[in-house]
Amino acid sequence: MIISANNIGTTAEPHLTSLSHGGGCGCKIAPGVLSEILKGITAMPIPKELMVGIETADDAAVYKLNDEQALIATTDFFMPIVDDPYEFGRIAATNAISDVYAMGGKPILALALVGMPINVLSLETIAKILEGGASVCRAAGIPIAGGHTIDSVEPIYGLVALGLVHPSRVKRNADARVGDKLVLSKPLGVGILSAALKKEQLDPAGYANMISVTTQLNTPGPELAALDGVHAMTDVTGFGLAGHALEIARGAQCTVQIDWARVPLLYGVRALALQGLITGASARNWAGYGAEITLPEGFDSVDQTLLSDPQTSGGLLVTCAPEAVEAVLAIFKQHGFEAAVEIGEITPGTSGAKLRVI
């Protein structure tokens, strides 16, 4: 049996993925295009309390409230990656809250962002999307305290997520140190699975795997931030492993080295990629940053696609001192991240590529 638009959702209205031109974090504007858009924006005054802004393309803004508390503020929303409205809501909410965890913080509340084609989708379907998001917020221990809704051509759902962190425990993506080890908590391949689903080539096991990984909250974030040996942290989302590793490298002015053989992949994604079931976003990602990457001889096009594959609600990418790796992995395992593994290290920066794959 293959999971398709005929297997999921109701048959009385269009399926969610048929209403969107892209899905999940694959909806992101390509990194090269985004860079062009942002470079013309005039710099604004920055208050001294703003600990993290847009300077290193970090996961969230962080504003110091006092000596004990800093406020984390972020937002994320996208179009459907699956047809089941409840699961779409769960995935979108998990993804949005992830940025708070990636900064080392604890979520405190969320606001819902809802854009729906109300003349196309039933009120029942829209309600299920919101119910899915609310279920994830309950699991994270936070309320949805408000939000905003609009009538939109394409279905869009996400959250504004707020959190708190001690100012000394904020984990930016720019604070990696030479000699750090690189740890990834979730396997790659969500973009491949989503492409297979949209083309009706994903079996039930693959679909279940996709839902499981994209709805797993990145709850280890605060505990990791409390470890002295953890220096930098981000989550892997729409720009793929390569894109978010490059953000670490640029911010710290270092080189990130990834041992590709150690990178975990979701079951079956390589075979699907070999069949051509890939997203357009992976190629756009590579076009935006491929020049900054050195690949080993014989690195094939499928591996390159997986390296830039957009991850919706992906895992945490952590840099830590070598002696902290065991503790980092133990925390991940305690939270159910069985695939967590060391995948590389931070090396001195060079004038050439900022990401080296071996």
Side-chain angles (χ1 to χ4, degrees):
M1 178 182 175
I2 297 296
I3 297 293
S4 75
N6 295 319
N7 308 129
I8 304 172
T10 67
T11 56
E13 57 188 296
H15 294 278
L16 292 179
T17 54
S18 72
L19 298 175
S20 61
H21 73 279
C25 287
C27 296
K28 280 189 174 182
I29 294 175
V33 177
L34 182 61
S35 178
E36 285 296 310
I37 293 171
L38 294 178
K39 76 177 184 180
I41 295 178
T42 303
M44 295 176 289
I46 299 176
K48 61 181 177 58
E49 294 87 356
L50 186 64
M51 298 179 65
V52 182
I54 64 172
E55 58 279 351
T56 62
D58 219 321
D59 298 300
V62 182
Y63 188 93
K64 185 176 180 180
L65 299 174
N66 51 56
D67 290 343
E68 299 295 322
Q69 294 177 311
L71 178 69
I72 301 170
T74 183
T75 185
D76 216 314
F77 51 89
F78 48 59
M79 291 162 282
I81 188 174
V82 294
D83 288 309
D84 185 303
Y86 185 79
E87 299 297 2
F88 168 42
R90 290 180 69 211
I91 294 168
T94 304
N95 181 73
I97 297 171
S98 177
D99 287 338
V100 173
Y101 292 128
M103 302 304 300
K106 180 180 179 180
I108 55 172
L109 65 84
L111 307 175
L113 300 173
V114 185
M116 294 291 155
I118 58 173
N119 62 331
V120 176
L121 293 177
S122 69
L123 297 182
E124 179 185 11
T125 293
I126 296 171
K128 286 181 179 178
I129 294 170
L130 272 60
E131 288 171 12
S135 73
V136 166
C137 288
R138 284 194 297 272
I142 63 173
I144 295 181
H148 186 63
T149 60
I150 62 169
D151 185 1
S152 172
V153 175
E154 295 181 282
I156 297 170
Y157 179 70
L159 301 174
V160 173
L162 301 179
L164 291 174
V165 63
H166 192 284
S168 68
R169 291 184 175 178
V170 174
K171 295 304 172 185
R172 304 192 309 159
N173 65 359
D175 291 334
R177 302 179 187 178
V178 172
D180 276 359
K181 300 299 183 180
L182 193 67
V183 177
L184 177 64
S185 66
K186 288 185 182 181
L188 305 181
V190 172
I192 302 295
L193 296 182
S194 68
L197 176 65
K198 197 156 190 177
K199 295 178 181 178
E200 303 188 356
Q201 296 296 314
L202 188 63
D203 62 25
Y207 180 73
N209 208 1
M210 177 180 171
I211 296 297
S212 176
V213 74
T214 56
T215 58
Q216 185 177 22
L217 285 162
N218 282 321
T219 51
E223 289 181 51
L224 294 170
L227 292 177
D228 289 338
V230 170
H231 301 139
M233 192 155 56
T234 189
D235 59 352
V236 179
T237 54
F239 297 152
L241 175 61
H244 295 286
L246 278 168
E247 289 173 346
I248 289 175
R250 296 183 194 120
Q253 298 184 343
C254 62
T255 298
V256 173
Q257 180 170 290
I258 292 176
D259 184 346
W260 183 245
R262 303 188 69 176
V263 175
L265 302 176
L266 287 164
Y267 179 77
V269 296
R270 180 177 292 279
L272 292 170
L274 283 168
Q275 297 173 42
L277 297 168
I278 60 177
T279 70
S282 61
R284 293 192 295 273
N285 281 343
W286 192 263
Y289 55 59
E292 298 180 77
I293 301 173
T294 297
L295 299 175
E297 185 176 350
F299 200 78
D300 64 28
S301 60
V302 169
D303 288 325
Q304 180 180 308
T305 295
L306 289 165
L307 187 61
S308 61
D309 184 54
Q311 303 305 292
T312 298
S313 191
L316 294 176
L317 187 62
V318 179
T319 82
C320 64
E323 60 271 20
V325 170
E326 185 175 344
V328 167
L329 291 174
I331 288 172
F332 276 130
K333 298 298 171 63
Q334 288 165 10
H335 285 257
F337 290 79
E338 298 300 328
V341 66
E342 179 188 332
I343 64 166
E345 62 182 332
I346 308 301
T347 63
T350 67
S351 59
K354 294 189 177 300
L355 173 60
R356 182 187 305 115
V357 180
I358 62 173

